[in-house]
Amino acid sequence: MIKIKENKIRKRLRITQCVLYLVQIFWCTWTFVAIPKSDGNYFYATVFDMFGYIGGEFPEGTASGAFQAYAPFYFIFLLIPIVGFFFCALDKERNLKNVVSIICCLLGVISILTIVTMNFISIGSMFSLIFYVIICFITSYAMMARLNDREPNKESKH
């Protein structure tokens, strides 16, 4: 890809993308999934809680055999924002960071909707979905800022 020196606007957009990817990692510490128990209550788990249940058993009374099968896939919720963050942080001159950011946003939304599903979505996964949409819009703006990267003309003398 063609390298173009970063200007002020694109630098701010890149830093905003990096910060939002760090916030995505923060949302993994909130309750990400709400698993119904047999007594009618819910068991709330974060992404890190799900790592603890890999190969183990869920708390007593949860009707969650499917969640035990999907527990190994919860690393994706951390991997996607980490990849997006490092591409945005390290790529200053190319457009590759924006392409990877759009792909990460798409993969993040698809993984939340397929692994967590809409029935069991909780506050952390809901905020993650919202922030993936925000990151996608900021990335689209950054792509347009790169295409429209002309220096304004100095005041012309008439």
Side-chain angles (χ1 to χ4, degrees):
M1 299 204 151
I2 299 172
K3 293 183 178 184
I4 299 174
K5 188 169 171 32
E6 188 175 54
N7 62 12
K8 239 192 258 188
I9 293 171
R10 288 191 298 127
K11 182 177 183 177
R12 289 179 184 160
L13 289 170
R14 184 178 58 82
I15 291 171
T16 303
Q17 287 173 319
C18 291
V19 169
L20 288 176
Y21 276 119
L22 290 176
V23 171
Q24 284 292 80
I25 296 170
F26 171 72
W27 293 133
C28 291
T29 62
W30 285 36
T31 57
F32 218 75
V33 63
I35 304 168
K37 291 183 184 179
S38 58
D39 62 356
N41 293 328
Y42 284 90
F43 168 70
Y44 297 99
T46 66
V47 171
F48 299 107
D49 291 339
M50 296 302 276
F51 291 150
Y53 294 120
I54 295 175
E57 291 191 24
F58 274 64
E60 197 63 38
T62 58
S64 56
F67 282 99
Q68 283 182 322
Y70 282 115
F73 296 111
Y74 272 71
F75 77 93
I76 292 172
F77 298 127
L78 282 174
L79 183 68
I80 291 172
I82 288 171
V83 168
F85 170 77
F86 279 114
F87 265 95
C88 289
L90 300 176
D91 186 16
K92 295 180 181 180
E93 297 175 344
R94 297 179 298 166
N95 201 29
L96 188 62
K97 67 179 166 289
N98 295 324
V99 173
V100 170
S101 183
I102 292 284
I103 292 171
C104 285
C105 290
L106 180 66
L107 288 175
V109 169
I110 289 173
S111 64
I112 290 172
L113 293 178
T114 56
I115 294 173
V116 176
T117 68
M118 289 300 291
N119 298 340
F120 307 112
I121 206 164
S122 189
I123 190 99
S125 51
M126 181 182 66
F127 281 140
S128 287
L129 284 172
I130 291 169
F131 272 73
Y132 275 129
V133 171
I134 292 170
I135 292 170
C136 190
F137 281 125
I138 289 173
T139 302
S140 300
Y141 185 68
M143 289 175 117
M144 291 299 131
R146 181 179 164 83
L147 291 175
N148 210 4
D149 194 30
R150 294 187 197 136
E151 290 292 324
N153 294 336
K154 304 281 183 186
E155 290 185 30
S156 59
K157 297 177 184 177
H158 291 151

